[in-house]
């Protein structure tokens, strides 16, 4: 039996909802078709957004022969066989679109195998991937193709898909709340929406509107769209980090929970939260690092789900803490200076002299013991003699760093 998603697969660009930036009147695909010159492209987008469908319609628009190729099931030998068949009968097809699903699963050598055929025009390559092509595909292949980004379907696009089904069948017995629940549960995946409708058809036969609770009981919860080794892993931790840096506890909690829903390693999150405490808060609030470390320790002691609350507590605290990257900048600048001056020794007056020979060489000569001074600071030079004094740490006028600024001002007068 043909799945509903295949029965309703769009056959024209007009029926491909949610991707007007590509297939609308001024979209890249529409302009390419109008020009009559097919180009090799990489279709990048989440599951159920229409990548395979777009590839089919793209080939049809050029009256091209369509060959489907799976990166999971096929290899270089299968590719060579396909190309050999095409070259054996060159007049049968003006163009051939080779559609490669999950092209990111090919390794570098396998990806390179496409290059000569794309360059010669033997095939028009259309690759589909859910992974960021910048990381998943090699530069040689990217330079010979155009990356097209497809969006997750919004509620309007999902409603159009449902209405298209209802136009071919009977209206679905759904309340507005039930309809919205299906859109929400789809999470931008048109295929998943149609699969849910197909699963609910026996219940729809009774003719009465289904309540949301009934639908929840009948439908399996869709796994979170998240890849712990892919884009989701890096994009969501970036969103969490920037939400904390931007002092937005609500957004920070949201991205934390998105990662937890996706099954992210909680200790990975905890490590990054500790990093945020040092990088974005620093000495503006010295308690931030303590709380971040304590949250990590609490999770290690309690595990999930109890320990996750400690991570949430740390996230809220860090988001609302005064921000300063002064420590981060000072560290980076000091590292850079150190890398360029590794040949310079410390000044002799701050070196220990445990032997007579070292004393005779001037080690420790002229050193002033800071505790012996009235102010507790001698003001001596601690940089290498041949290196001008540098200023790396510049505290901000926020939080505890205001106190650090006062202390730096106090000690700097003795060095002047």
């Amino acid at each position: 039996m043909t799945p509903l998603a295949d029965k309703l697969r769009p056959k024209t660009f007009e029926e491909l909802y949610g991707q007007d930036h590509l297939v609308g009147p001024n979209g890249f695909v529409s302009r390419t078709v109008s020009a009559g010159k097919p180009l090799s492209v990489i279709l990048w987008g989440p599951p159920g957004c229409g990548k395979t469908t777009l590839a089919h319609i793209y080939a049809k628009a050029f009256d091209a022969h369509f060959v489907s190729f799976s990166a999971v099931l096929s290899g270089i030998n299968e590719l060579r066989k396909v190309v050999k068949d095409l070259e054996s009968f060159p007049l049968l097809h003006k163009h051939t679109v080779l559609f490669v699903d999950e092209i990111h699963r090919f390794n570098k050598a396998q990806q390179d195998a496409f290059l000569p055929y794309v360059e010669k025009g033997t095939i028009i390559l259309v690759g589909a991937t859910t992974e960021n092509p910048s990381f998943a595909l090699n530069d040689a292949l990217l330079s010979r193709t155009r990356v097209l980004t497809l969006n997750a379907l919004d509620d309007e696009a999902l409603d159009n898909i449902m209405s298209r089904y209802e136009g071919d069948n009977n209206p679905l017995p759904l309340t507005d709340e039930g309809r919205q629940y299906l859109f929400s549960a789809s999470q931008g995946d048109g295929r998943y929406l149609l699969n849910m409708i197909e699963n609910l058809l026996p219940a729809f036969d009774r003719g009465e509107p289904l309540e949301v609770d009934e639908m929840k009981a009948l439908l399996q919860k869709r796994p979170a769209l998240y890849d712990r080794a892919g884009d989701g892993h890096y994009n969501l931790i970036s969103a969490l980090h920037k939400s904390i840096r931007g002092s937005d506890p609500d957004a920070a909690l949201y991205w934390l929970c998105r990662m937890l829903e996706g099954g992210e390693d909680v200790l990975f999150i905890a490590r990054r939260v500790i990093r945020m405490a040092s990088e974005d808060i620093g000495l503006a609030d010295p308690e931030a690092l303590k709380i971040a470390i304590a949250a990590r320790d609490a999770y290690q002691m309690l595990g999930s789900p109890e320990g996750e609350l400690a991570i949430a507590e740390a996230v809220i605290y860090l988001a609302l803490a005064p921000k300063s990257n002064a420590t981060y900048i000072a560290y980076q600048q000091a590292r850079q200076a150190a890398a360029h001056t590794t040949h310079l020794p410390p000044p002799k007056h701050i070196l220990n002299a445990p032997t007579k020979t070292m004393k005779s060489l001037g080690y420790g000569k002229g050193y002033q013991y800071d505790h012996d001074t009235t102010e507790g600071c001698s003001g001596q030079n601690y940089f290498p003699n041949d290196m001008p004094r540098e200023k790396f740490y510049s505290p901000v006028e926020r939080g505890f760093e205001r106190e650090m600024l006062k202390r730096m001002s106090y000690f700097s007068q003795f060095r002047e």
Side-chain angles (χ1 to χ4, degrees):
M1 181 177 178
T2 304
L4 181 58
D6 282 343
K7 289 181 181 178
L8 287 181
R9 186 181 295 278
K11 295 179 175 58
T12 65
F13 289 137
E14 290 74 22
E15 294 175 350
L16 187 63
Y17 304 122
Q19 312 301 340
D20 287 349
H21 62 295
L22 295 178
V23 301
N26 297 315
F28 176 82
V29 173
S30 300
R31 288 187 280 109
T32 301
V33 171
S34 297
K37 296 181 179 179
L39 301 174
S40 291
V41 296
I42 302 297
L43 306 178
W44 173 32
C49 66
K51 298 186 293 296
T52 302
T53 298
L54 177 54
H56 278 279
I57 302 174
Y58 186 67
K60 182 181 177 182
F62 290 106
D63 193 25
H65 178 48
F66 186 88
V67 179
S68 185
F69 200 74
S70 172
V72 177
L73 303 175
S74 307
I76 294 178
N77 290 335
E78 287 81 357
L79 171 63
R80 289 173 178 160
K81 183 178 183 302
V82 168
V83 172
K84 183 179 179 180
D85 291 343
L86 294 174
E87 292 177 335
S88 299
F89 305 98
L91 299 179
L92 288 181
H93 306 288
K94 184 178 180 181
H95 298 297
T96 296
V97 168
L98 180 64
F99 174 64
V100 183
D101 196 17
E102 298 190 86
I103 193 170
H104 60 274
R105 294 184 181 272
F106 279 131
N107 60 33
K108 183 180 185 300
Q110 291 172 314
Q111 291 178 29
D112 287 343
F114 293 106
L115 301 181
Y117 308 123
V118 172
E119 288 181 338
K120 288 192 299 182
T122 307
I123 60 172
I124 306 302
L125 177 64
V126 178
T129 178
T130 57
E131 298 291 325
N132 189 330
S134 299
F135 305 127
L137 303 181
N138 65 44
D139 291 339
L141 188 59
L142 288 175
S143 68
R144 291 164 175 80
T145 58
R146 176 71 179 263
V147 176
L148 306 181
T149 304
L150 283 76
N151 300 322
L153 303 185
D154 57 19
D155 284 0
E156 180 181 358
L158 294 171
D159 188 52
N160 285 332
I161 291 173
M162 188 179 289
S163 297
R164 186 160 170 256
Y165 167 81
E166 292 177 319
D168 295 338
N169 301 275
N170 296 320
L172 295 173
L174 290 169
T175 63
D176 290 343
E177 184 183 6
R179 200 176 186 91
Q180 192 58 48
Y181 169 75
L182 289 180
F183 296 160
S184 177
S186 300
Q187 297 186 33
D189 187 332
R191 184 189 307 110
Y192 192 76
L193 172 66
L194 292 173
N195 288 344
M196 287 192 294
I197 291 174
E198 191 167 29
N199 290 337
L200 290 172
L201 286 179
F204 286 147
D205 287 344
R206 72 185 192 186
E208 298 177 3
L210 285 181
E211 298 295 332
V212 171
D213 288 342
E214 292 179 274
M215 285 192 286
K216 287 181 179 179
L218 293 170
L219 295 173
Q220 183 178 3
K221 182 182 178 183
R222 185 178 191 268
L225 183 60
Y226 188 77
D227 184 353
R228 287 177 56 177
D231 286 346
H233 174 78
Y234 298 105
N235 290 345
L236 268 61
I237 195 63
S238 176
L240 172 61
H241 194 154
K242 290 179 174 63
S243 298
I244 287 177
R245 180 181 294 159
S247 301
D248 190 334
D250 297 315
L253 272 178
Y254 169 76
W255 293 117
L256 170 65
C257 291
R258 278 282 299 273
M259 297 182 79
L260 295 176
E261 280 292 307
E264 181 57 80
D265 178 5
V266 183
L267 287 177
F268 164 76
I269 301 174
R271 289 192 297 271
R272 290 300 297 264
V273 169
I274 292 172
R275 165 74 181 201
M276 296 171 204
S278 298
E279 180 178 342
D280 295 291
I281 297 166
L283 291 171
D285 185 350
E287 293 297 314
L289 182 57
K290 298 178 185 177
I291 287 176
I293 293 174
R296 188 274 315 272
D297 293 345
Y299 178 78
Q300 286 183 315
M301 181 182 294
L302 298 175
S304 294
E306 292 86 351
E308 292 166 2
L309 184 59
I311 306 296
E313 180 180 338
V315 163
I316 293 172
Y317 187 93
L318 266 60
L320 295 177
K323 304 299 188 297
S324 171
N325 67 344
T327 297
Y328 175 76
I329 291 175
Y331 173 72
Q332 296 294 336
Q333 291 177 345
R335 281 290 298 269
Q336 186 176 13
H340 292 138
T341 56
T342 56
H343 60 292
L344 298 178
K348 288 185 178 180
H349 68 273
I350 64 171
L351 299 179
N352 292 329
T355 68
K356 290 182 179 180
T357 301
M358 295 172 76
K359 287 181 181 179
S360 68
L361 293 174
Y363 281 45
K365 185 177 180 180
Y367 172 66
Q368 299 178 47
Y369 189 55
D370 292 83
H371 295 293
D372 288 342
T373 64
T374 304
E375 298 83 2
C377 179
S378 66
Q380 287 184 298
N381 176 51
Y382 299 101
F383 277 94
N385 290 329
D386 294 332
M387 178 181 175
R389 178 174 179 79
E390 298 271 8
K391 182 177 181 181
F392 303 124
Y393 181 50
S394 298
V396 299
E397 287 274 6
R398 289 189 293 275
F400 185 76
E401 279 202 327
R402 284 178 292 191
E403 177 63 25
M404 305 300 277
L405 195 59
K406 293 178 185 177
R407 297 180 189 183
M408 286 190 69
S409 177
Y410 172 78
F411 292 124
S412 64
Q413 64 181 314
F414 300 108
R415 299 190 181 96
E416 294 172 356

